[in-house]
Amino acid sequence: MMDCSEEIQSVCEEPGAQIELKKGMSIFIDILRRADKNDDGKLSFDEFKAYFSDGVLTADELKELFHTIDTHNTDNVDTDELCEYFSQHLSEYENVLGALEDLNMAILKAMDKTKKDYQESTHLEQFVTRFLLKETTNQLHSLQSSLECAMETTAEQTRQEKQGPLKPEVLSIQWSGRRSNRRLQRNSSLSPNNPLLSLVNSGVYDEDSQWMIQVNRLQKLIDRLEQREIRLEPVEEEVLESKSHILIVQRQLCVLEEELEEFRLALRQYMECSCAQTGCLHIAVQRLANESRFILYEFWEHNNVWKNHLQTNYSKTFQRANVDFLETPESLTTMLVPASWWVLNNN
């Protein structure tokens, strides 16, 4: 989350400011700051395209959107224009952005107090502080996962409506062949209250298309890579423990054409290190035909193993490198699969 309180005040105090920012609109100050690569205080079309491109809108549609937002007809977009355009389309997200602004300030205030008081606290008080930090992180991560799933689902639905499914091109990359054959334990399962379920019930999420298609493609891909027969079980209904799941992580990476070779080197190093990590079951990568978009599939024993993996040096190095390699921010989706499906035939 961003700390925009000082920027909000400075913008509002500037004599040339066109718009008094409403609550929740400070996010657009942060958006412009991150998208403005040459720090001139406005977005050219190239900067706008690099930041707002989502892999669904075409270049012509992005240009149309750019000129719609550019009400001053300057061939640039500034904060006032961003706020003016998006404020007309926020709907319920106006409350969401306002709540995020309040949450940002509340967390910063809590962090400041923790920094001042923690060392002087008793051991029990320090435990309570650590516990509250952990639970706050868990709640935020749960919300983030639900939002990412909703974002991926809506984008995929629009993509299919526009052009139909794409056939991926398998990228040839070698890595360690170590695999685990144990039945695995998952520490948590999808809650009935998860907001993603509302997408399922509303029909936005088509369970017979996206996820099942991805599972089938993964099955065939792994079969080719391992040269083993893989089957999904059980054929008949089976009662499973609620924690018997493995985690599949899908990462979509849109790479800049001029950075492809450097990205491939970084990707190879990342995959080799990941495959040697305890708890990593399998990693596969694909590149979509005629695009510089890569899809990385990671299989992990359970969520905690994956979280520990994210804190490793090689994972952080790969993330930092992607800042320069990627055309748009990485899209990440996670999915739980019954551990009993992970049945390998060693013959």
Side-chain angles (χ1 to χ4, degrees), residues 14 46 63 74 140 157 171 183 199 235 277 298 343:
E14 288 179 2
D46 288 338
K63 181 163 287 188
T74 59
L140 291 175
Q157 182 190 37
L171 178 66
R183 289 214 173 196
L199 290 176
V235 177
Q277 178 80 18
E298 303 180 10
V343 179

Side-chain angles (χ1 to χ4, degrees), residues 57-76:
L57 290 183
T58 65
D60 289 339
E61 289 170 331
L62 281 170
K63 181 163 287 188
E64 180 182 354
L65 175 62
F66 176 81
H67 289 299
T68 300
I69 298 176
D70 179 24
T71 55
H72 300 161
N73 298 320
T74 59
D75 286 331
N76 290 289

Side-chain angles (χ1 to χ4, degrees), residues 170-176 253 259-276 283 285 287 294 296 314 318 321-322 325:
V170 176
L171 178 66
S172 176
I173 291 184
Q174 303 295 325
W175 58 83
S176 170
L253 307 140
E259 301 290 347
L260 274 177
E261 292 306 316
E262 291 293 328
F263 171 78
R264 280 195 173 97
L265 291 175
L267 178 60
R268 291 174 193 273
Q269 294 175 355
Y270 169 76
M271 292 180 66
E272 289 172 358
C273 293
S274 297
C275 287
I283 294 185
V285 63
R287 180 186 176 187
F294 294 76
L296 188 63
Y314 68 83
F318 185 60
N322 283 342
F325 294 154

